[in-house]
Amino acid sequence: MLCLSGLSVAFALALVPGPAEALREGECEVCVTFLGKFYQTLKDDGVNFNSADIEKAIVKSCKDAKGKENRFCYYIGATSDAATKIINEVSKPLSYHVPVEKICEKLKKKDSQICELKYDKQLDLTTVDLKKLKVKDLKKILEEWGESCKGCAEKSDFIRKITELMPKYAPAAAKARTDL
């Protein structure tokens, strides 16, 4: 009898879930950053913290998102072309003011791709030698600025376009560069 009760206690303890895996430093970088900025704008704008209003605000802010943040929005279902819709896994906890790190932990369990998103390293335009960059990186600079280079066929065309636009988008870098 004692053996049977000991066995049932051991079985019951095996069914109790252990502590959730906390996020490591740098993990879920895009999720934590995007939701942190989003939560702050909700507080600043005085939005009513209910699930429906937060969902509308997420969809609205995701329309303006670019790059990795747009990919994050796609994964949570806040874009029009998203296949899944787990946006309520974000809006409901935010309505209760749950920390964004905890929300990202839950999202990681639902879809591990969310935490695999990382921001691209930013180039320091004041010191980088544009001639040594790949065309792919030069195109990425123009894309970040919201520009394109129509008719650019060679690397030198992209470099010329970037140096023309640098005073508009990166004035500090344009002043610091001596090779212009």
Side-chain angles (χ1 to χ4, degrees):
M1 182 72 175
L2 185 62
C3 181
L4 185 60
S5 67
L7 190 59
S8 62
V9 170
F11 182 69
L13 288 175
L15 293 177
V16 174
E21 280 283 320
L23 294 178
R24 291 186 298 270
E25 186 67 34
E27 195 175 24
C28 289
E29 176 185 7
V30 176
C31 177
V32 171
T33 306
F34 180 80
L35 289 181
K37 287 190 287 186
F38 176 71
Y39 180 72
Q40 191 60 47
T41 56
L42 286 179
K43 284 182 8 185
D44 294 345
D45 294 346
V47 173
N48 190 7
F49 273 88
N50 63 45
S51 215
D53 289 348
I54 292 174
E55 275 190 36
K56 288 177 190 169
I58 290 174
V59 171
K60 184 180 175 196
S61 68
C62 281
K63 284 182 180 171
D64 300 330
K66 290 185 170 60
K68 301 293 182 177
E69 291 180 350
N70 183 277
R71 181 58 38 190
F72 169 75
C73 290
Y74 174 79
Y75 288 152
I76 65 169
T79 58
S80 59
D81 62 340
T84 60
K85 193 150 179 100
I86 58 172
I87 194 169
N88 61 330
E89 298 290 332
V90 175
S91 62
K92 195 172 228 175
L94 272 178
S95 68
Y96 298 125
H97 303 279
V98 173
V100 293
E101 292 82 8
K102 294 291 180 191
I103 296 170
C104 291
E105 283 177 27
K106 283 189 174 184
L107 289 175
K108 180 182 178 185
K109 290 177 187 171
K110 296 272 184 193
D111 187 354
S112 63
Q113 292 177 327
I114 290 172
C115 284
E116 292 170 3
L117 289 172
K118 301 240 184 278
Y119 286 111
D120 296 328
K121 292 181 181 173
Q122 292 295 316
L123 292 172
D124 182 14
L125 292 173
T126 57
T127 58
V128 73
D129 185 2
L130 295 174
K131 294 173 187 143
K132 291 185 179 179
L133 291 178
K134 295 179 180 176
V135 172
K136 175 181 157 185
D137 296 327
L138 296 171
K139 285 181 180 179
K140 193 185 307 180
I141 292 170
L142 289 171
E143 183 182 311
E144 286 173 2
W145 290 348
E147 297 283 346
S148 64
C149 191
K150 291 186 172 86
C152 292
E154 296 183 12
K155 186 177 190 175
S156 58
D157 298 332
F158 288 101
I159 293 172
R160 186 174 16 81
K161 183 75 171 182
I162 288 171
T163 53
E164 285 174 15
L165 295 171
M166 199 177 290
K168 180 179 177 184
Y169 293 102
K175 289 178 183 173
R177 292 181 66 88
T178 57
D179 60 9
L180 298 179

